[in-house]
Amino acid sequence: MKIDILKSKVEKALSLNGQTMDRLQAICDLLEREILHYDWVGFYFKNGDKNELKLAQYTGEETEHTIIPFGKGICGQVAVSNKNFVVQDVSAQENYISCGWKVKSEIVIPIFVNDENVGQIDIDSHTANVFTADDEELLEFVCKKVAEIL
């Protein structure tokens, strides 16, 4: 993974004219296309005043998990903890919401605007034990840049 090149592509995608949702979709498409072990890429955001997340833009197989209560699953846990969550083997997680039998690992990174957790990027992989510190660094960068357009 060439992080510097990917960061540049992320900045370019987010600088394009258009609505926020179009730019978020461009990020999903870019990451899924450029990183072979990213099989599903999506954004979840806090659903108004409710203690739940709502699926926004994504790339990959459809999911029935369009609303996730805070605390439930990896995404719901990140909404509460405000911390990155890297799961190298989803079968070892008790509080995991299965998005499909192919998913073997997941990484979720929160998005902060004015020190408030407003959402997150969620990546699923069909490969176990695949996420590295490079993935975490890149996705933290993505979330920081996304926060600037929200």
Side-chain angles (χ1 to χ4, degrees):
M1 175 185 306
K2 298 184 189 249
I3 292 180
D4 291 337
I5 293 170
L6 289 168
K7 285 180 178 180
S8 177
K9 290 181 178 185
V10 164
E11 286 183 315
K12 183 177 179 182
L14 289 174
S15 70
L16 298 174
N17 288 331
Q19 296 185 352
T20 300
M21 64 183 186
D22 294 331
R23 293 190 273 173
L24 292 175
Q25 187 63 55
I27 293 301
C28 292
D29 296 342
L30 169 74
L31 293 174
E32 191 267 343
R33 181 180 62 246
E34 294 284 331
I35 303 173
L36 296 179
H37 59 275
Y38 286 16
D39 296 300
W40 191 92
V41 178
F43 288 98
Y44 283 93
F45 290 100
K46 187 169 188 233
N47 191 12
D49 291 334
K50 300 175 184 173
N51 284 331
E52 64 185 22
L53 298 165
K54 184 174 182 180
L55 180 62
Q57 285 63 40
Y58 71 95
T59 297
E61 294 179 8
E62 286 193 33
T63 179
E64 61 189 43
H65 303 290
T66 57
I67 300 290
I68 299 176
F70 282 12
K72 186 168 170 85
I74 308 307
C75 291
Q77 290 178 75
V78 169
V80 173
S81 73
N82 298 319
K83 295 180 181 174
N84 299 353
F85 201 155
V86 180
V87 180
Q88 298 293 4
D89 179 1
V90 296
S91 69
Q93 284 294 314
E94 289 182 24
N95 191 9
Y96 172 69
I97 301 173
S98 177
C99 293
W101 64 270
K102 295 179 192 173
V103 178
K104 304 291 186 226
S105 57
E106 182 174 9
I107 184 170
V108 179
I109 308 293
I111 301 168
F112 294 97
V113 174
N114 298 322
D115 296 323
E116 179 185 354
N117 184 343
V118 299
Q120 54 203 228
I121 190 166
D122 178 19
I123 313 289
D124 291 343
S125 180
H126 297 165
T127 306
N129 301 305
V130 71
F131 295 117
T132 68
D134 286 348
D135 293 290
E136 210 165 350
E137 178 185 336
L138 174 64
L139 295 173
E140 286 174 351
F141 176 82
V142 169
C143 289
K144 180 181 174 194
K145 291 300 178 181
V146 165
E148 293 174 4
I149 68 164
L150 295 178

